[in-house]
């Protein structure tokens, strides 16, 4: 099944659209994307929050409804510095 | 991994036989027949292990599985030949090794002319991503980031860039900023992109260094797609798409959405660094098996830690009104069939091929040089603003090819033709640029059909006579002899249509309704 056919990807995209900004604010994230997320029981389509420092709490799955079905979209946290534009800098 | 071959091969009895075979044989023809770029004598490798048996080794860019090989183009296990020393029949073994073709080493921070994609440019210094087609005026332009080229038209761009790399204006100027999409800190951006018009047609080299001819094709980015880029600082690196709708706020406060997050994969430990901004991100998978054209998926603009962030290339092309070189160049080639030959400048054939990125940087061993006066030459030789404006003024039917193409795409049979051109545009364009027979056959076959046309219906409604069919068949036959297996399969379908086309209009042949 392709990414566009699998409803779990659409659920993850819907979760990003509806809850993404709030999640980023809540966890102080500088990045957010739909990605394969490791749930402990394997990889699933979900949301990847990218933060500069580990948050105090673990984000809960985001509940969304797609085509009449409810999905719990897993959210992972990745530690990485924020990106910056990559022009050459002296030194 | 192969182990070292520790024998002295010069004492091997097979060595002089292999040397004699190689000396007697037209090696260039052999290389062409087997789609190989190099040949040498070396130990045969079996199952990844180096054996003590010497073989004539053919080096290919992509090695196909045995069951997918075409017997007509596969390297035979042995060659037999008659020795000139004693007249006896001799046999030599062969081997096929997958390896990229060699190229001259290049420091992307140096001053380089003509300029390929992947090298230092601009204030501030970033990477010239590659050369693309500006649909607003049918010219070739350079693509990079807005934070490299800026968005104010007329800003002079030196290569190499001024910061660190020592470039300066006007000594190193290669063009001026044409337009860009200004970034905002108050809303959400999707692109960081701008284009630069080259000073003249001698500036561009239509390749991205170490990656291949570009930008000739686009692909839709999907999760986990393996990608690569060549940038001014970290040069050739490899990655995978970890997210294809990535939203991020940069250190500068700019927020971007609908982007690509790229994480490095082996053998790269880091995707990018300062100075790589503007690199075009390519899929590692060519558009056709064994082909040289890799489709672009993104335009790198930022990084943090070891990961990178790129705009989606389709967003960039939509925002800046760009298309791939082939899409634009083919349409202009067809349009140029209408141009008056007397009005066209003479340009050496080798210059044409080099500009199209189909010749290596050196032309020392290539035949130089026959001057042509043909639409093809004008088409390949004059894609700067001034020359194209002049050409457009001479050609009142400019745009006809694109209109015909869009009509053909509306019919199932028409799509066979447009999809064939679309899928194999790099291969076809290379043939047109490099091969005089293909070019002359194309002109001879297409000019009578499009040469006097003013409207799309003039082209589609034209009834094909026996001479038209003969010329088109000859073109198909000539292309077929040079084509890859993939293209040959499509050509068979088109030739079947052609066999039944005499006395019918192109509209009837391709199932297009005439208005």
């Amino acid at each position: 099944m392709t990414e566009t056919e699998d409803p779990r990807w659409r659920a993850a995209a819907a979760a990003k659209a509806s809850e993404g900004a709030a999640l980023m604010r809540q966890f102080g994230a500088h990045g957010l994307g739909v990605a394969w997320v490791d749930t402990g029981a394997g990889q699933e389509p979900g949301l990847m929050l990218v933060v500069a420092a580990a948050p105090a709490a673990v984000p809960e799955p985001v509940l969304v409804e797609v085509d009449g079905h409810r999905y719990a979209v897993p959210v992972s946290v990745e530690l990485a510095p924020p990106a910056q534009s990559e022009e050459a800098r002296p030194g | 991994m192969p182990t070292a071959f520790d024998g002295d091969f010069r004492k091997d009895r097979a060595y002089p036989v292999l040397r004699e075979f190689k000396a007697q044989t037209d090696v260039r023809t052999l290389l062409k027949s087997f789609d190989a770029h190099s040949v040498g004598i070396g130990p045969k490798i079996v199952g990844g292990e180096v054996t003590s048996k010497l073989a004539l080794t053919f080096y290919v860019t992509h090695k196909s599985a045995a069951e997918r090989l075409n017997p007509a183009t596969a390297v035979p296990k042995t060659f037999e030949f008659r020795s000139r020393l004693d007249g006896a029949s001799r046999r030599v073994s062969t081997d096929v090794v997958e390896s990229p073709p060699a190229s001259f080493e290049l420091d992307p921070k140096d001053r380089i002319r003509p300029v390929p994609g992947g090298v230092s440019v601009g204030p501030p210094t970033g990477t010239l991503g590659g050369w693309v087609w500006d649909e607003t005026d049918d010219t070739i332009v350079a693509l990079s980031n807005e934070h490299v080229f800026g968005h104010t038209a007329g800003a002079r761009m030196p290569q190499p860039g001024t910061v660190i790399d020592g470039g300066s204006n006007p000594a190193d100027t290669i063009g001026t900023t044409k337009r860009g999409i200004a970034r905002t800190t108050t809303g959400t951006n999707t692109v960081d992109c701008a284009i630069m018009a080259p000073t003249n047609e001698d500036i561009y080299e239509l390749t991205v260094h170490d990656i291949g001819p570009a930008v000739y094709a686009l692909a839709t980015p999907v999760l986990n797609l393996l990608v690569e880029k060549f940038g001014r600082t970290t040069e050739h690196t490899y990655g995978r798409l970890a997210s294809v709708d990535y939203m991020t706020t940069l250190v500068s406060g700019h927020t971007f959405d609908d982007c690509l997050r790229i994480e490095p994969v082996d053998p790269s430990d880091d995707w990018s660094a300062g100075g790589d901004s503007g690199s075009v991100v390519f899929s590692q998978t060519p558009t056709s098996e064994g082909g040289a054209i890799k489709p672009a998926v993104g335009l790198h603009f930022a990084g943090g830690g070891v990961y990178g962030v790129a705009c989606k290339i389709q967003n960039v092309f939509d925002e800046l009104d760009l298309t791939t070189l082939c899409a634009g160049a083919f349409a202009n080639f067809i349009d140029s069939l209408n141009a008056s030959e007397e009005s066209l400048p003479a340009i050496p054939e080798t210059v044409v091929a080099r500009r199209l990125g189909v010749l290596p940087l050196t032309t020392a061993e290539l035949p130089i040089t026959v001057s042509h006066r043909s639409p093809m030459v004008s088409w390949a030789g004059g894609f700067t603003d001034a020359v194209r404006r002049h050409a457009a003024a001479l050609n009142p039917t400019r745009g006809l090819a694109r209109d015909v193409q869009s009509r053909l795409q509306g019919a199932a049979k028409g799509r066979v033709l447009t999809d064939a051109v679309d899928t194999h545009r790099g291969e076809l364009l290379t043939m047109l640029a490099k091969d005089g027979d293909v070019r002359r056959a194309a002109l001879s076959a297409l000019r009578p059909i499009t040469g006097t046309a003013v409207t799309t219906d003039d082209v589609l409604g034209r009834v094909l006579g026996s001479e038209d069919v003969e010329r088109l068949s000859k073109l198909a036959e000539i292309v077929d002899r040079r084509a890859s297996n993939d293209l040959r399969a499509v050509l068979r379908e088109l030739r079947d249509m052609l066999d039944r086309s005499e006395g019918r209009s192109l509209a009837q042949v391709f199932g297009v309704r005439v208005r």
Side-chain angles (χ1 to χ4, degrees):
Chain A
M1 190 177 280
T2 68
E3 284 161 21
T4 49
E5 290 166 340
D6 189 336
R8 294 178 304 167
W9 289 110
R10 293 209 300 279
K16 176 175 177 264
S18 63
E19 302 296 325
L23 275 173
M24 288 180 80
R25 275 196 306 275
Q26 184 185 347
F27 290 93
H30 57 77
L32 171 72
V34 172
W36 284 105
V37 168
D38 196 342
T39 62
Q43 291 212 318
E44 281 185 33
L47 293 180
M48 172 178 61
L49 272 176
V50 188
V51 297
V58 177
E60 295 290 320
V62 178
L63 296 175
V64 289
E65 192 169 307
V66 173
D67 299 338
H69 297 279
R70 288 173 67 80
Y71 294 90
V73 176
V75 184
S76 72
V77 174
E78 183 170 323
L79 280 175
Q84 57 184 329
S85 59
E86 290 204 312
E87 62 275 20
R89 295 180 187 88
Chain B
M1 284 292 290
T3 56
F5 179 62
D6 53 7
D8 183 352
F9 57 82
R10 285 167 300 184
K11 292 178 186 162
D12 192 310
R13 281 191 303 176
Y15 184 61
V17 181
L18 283 157
R19 295 252 309 170
E20 188 189 358
F21 174 77
K22 192 161 171 277
Q24 277 192 27
T25 309
D26 179 357
V27 175
R28 281 169 191 267
T29 304
L30 273 188
L31 289 174
K32 201 173 171 189
S33 313
F34 304 135
D35 208 15
H37 55 76
S38 313
V39 66
I41 295 168
K44 191 173 173 78
I45 297 170
V46 178
E49 294 293 324
V50 177
T51 69
S52 57
K53 187 175 181 182
L54 282 180
L56 188 71
T57 306
F58 289 87
Y59 296 88
V60 298
T61 308
H62 297 282
K63 195 171 173 178
S64 299
E67 64 273 15
R68 299 187 62 183
L69 282 174
N70 177 349
T73 56
V75 177
K77 288 193 183 308
T78 59
F79 285 112
E80 199 167 333
F81 73 107
R82 192 160 295 282
S83 171
R84 286 181 187 155
L85 299 174
D86 56 10
S89 178
R90 298 263 191 275
R91 192 182 291 267
V92 294
S93 298
T94 66
D95 196 8
V96 179
V97 170
E98 186 171 295
S99 156
S103 60
F104 288 98
E105 295 293 341
L106 168 150
D107 184 342
K109 297 181 279 297
D110 284 347
R111 187 182 197 276
I112 297 156
R113 299 292 184 276
V115 185
V119 300
S120 168
V121 73
T125 299
T127 297
L128 188 155
W131 297 95
V132 297
W133 192 271
D134 183 355
E135 291 217 280
T136 65
D137 59 1
D138 288 328
T139 57
I140 288 174
V141 291
L143 176 65
S144 188
N145 292 140
E146 189 266 346
H147 77 264
V148 175
F149 284 162
H151 59 269
T152 308
R156 288 189 297 186
M157 289 295 136
Q159 192 293 315
T162 52
V163 178
I164 305 177
D165 296 343
S168 64
N169 287 316
D172 300 310
T173 304
I174 58 167
T176 54
T177 299
K178 197 167 182 184
R179 61 182 181 277
I181 306 298
R183 290 163 296 149
T184 173
T185 50
T186 54
T188 299
N189 306 275
T190 56
V191 293
D192 178 348
C193 58
I195 51 174
M196 179 207 77
T199 310
N200 60 60
E201 62 267 21
D202 293 327
I203 294 292
Y204 46 75
E205 168 87 22
L206 303 184
T207 62
V208 169
H209 183 65
D210 231 16
I211 287 181
V215 175
Y216 285 101
L218 306 184
T220 303
V222 293
L223 277 174
N224 285 340
L225 182 75
L226 293 175
V227 295
E228 60 189 300
K229 70 108 187 61
F230 193 96
R232 172 260 180 210
T233 306
T234 58
E235 302 189 2
H236 201 161
T237 59
Y238 301 84
R240 74 172 180 90
L241 300 184
S243 179
V244 293
D245 64 347
Y246 193 60
M247 181 179 188
T248 187
T249 300
L250 304 188
V251 172
S252 60
H254 294 92
T255 295
F256 284 82
D257 200 356
D258 201 23
C259 291
L260 307 173
R261 180 187 165 96
I262 304 163
E263 289 172 359
V265 296
D266 188 55
S268 303
D269 297 323
D270 194 353
W271 169 254
S272 62
D276 287 334
S277 269
S279 309
V280 172
V281 180
F282 294 89
S283 165
Q284 290 184 25
T285 308
T287 51
S288 60
E289 191 180 327
I293 310 281
K294 290 175 180 166
V297 296
L299 182 68
H300 173 81
F301 70 95
V306 298
Y307 73 90
V309 186
C311 325
K312 289 180 180 172
I313 199 73
Q314 194 61 63
N315 289 345
V316 170
F317 274 38
D318 289 347
E319 290 281 352
L320 287 172
D321 206 0
L322 305 174
T323 190
T324 58
L325 293 174
C326 280
F330 262 118
N332 273 268
F333 170 63
I334 301 296
D335 284 346
S336 69
L337 296 172
N338 294 46
S340 136
E341 289 203 9
E342 291 68 30
S343 66
L344 301 170
I347 295 174
E349 193 170 322
T350 45
V351 174
V352 175
R354 197 173 323 118
R355 281 178 198 145
L356 290 166
V358 295
L359 290 190
L361 288 174
T362 175
T363 56
E365 58 183 34
L366 293 158
I368 296 179
T369 168
V370 181
S371 286
H372 289 280
R373 285 188 185 277
S374 78
M376 175 67 196
V377 171
S378 165
W379 156 78
F383 287 146
T384 58
D385 284 332
V387 178
R388 289 305 307 175
R389 273 200 298 273
H390 177 65
L394 291 172
N395 182 2
T397 57
R398 178 168 171 253
L400 183 66
R402 282 184 199 179
D403 294 341
V404 171
Q405 183 186 20
S406 98
R407 297 274 301 274
L408 287 171
Q409 277 168 340
K413 287 181 185 170
R415 277 196 297 277
V416 175
L417 177 63
T418 56
D419 287 354
V421 171
D422 200 41
T423 306
H424 302 282
R425 52 194 172 232
E427 187 178 354
L428 290 166
L429 192 59
T430 303
M431 278 188 212
L432 280 167
K434 285 181 79 173
D435 196 313
D437 283 345
V438 173
R439 191 163 55 243
R440 284 184 289 274
L443 289 170
S444 160
L446 299 177
R447 196 169 227 173
I449 296 169
T450 67
T452 56
V454 174
T455 68
T456 50
D457 279 348
D458 291 342
V459 177
L460 294 169
R462 190 180 180 285
V463 174
L464 296 175
S466 60
E467 287 185 354
D468 293 319
V469 174
E470 198 175 308
R471 283 190 289 258
L472 287 165
S473 298
K474 188 170 183 182
L475 171 62
E477 187 187 318
I478 289 172
V479 171
D480 187 274
R481 284 205 293 269
R482 293 150 175 82
S484 65
N485 292 342
D486 283 356
L487 177 56
R488 207 169 281 152
V490 182
L491 277 172
R492 268 198 295 277
E493 198 173 345
L494 288 169
R495 290 173 86 171
D496 285 346
M497 283 189 207
L498 195 57
D499 288 343
R500 302 187 297 271
S501 63
E502 188 176 334
R504 301 168 72 203
S505 68
L506 285 173
Q508 288 169 321
V509 171
F510 290 112
V512 180
R513 187 180 299 170
V514 176
R515 290 162 182 157

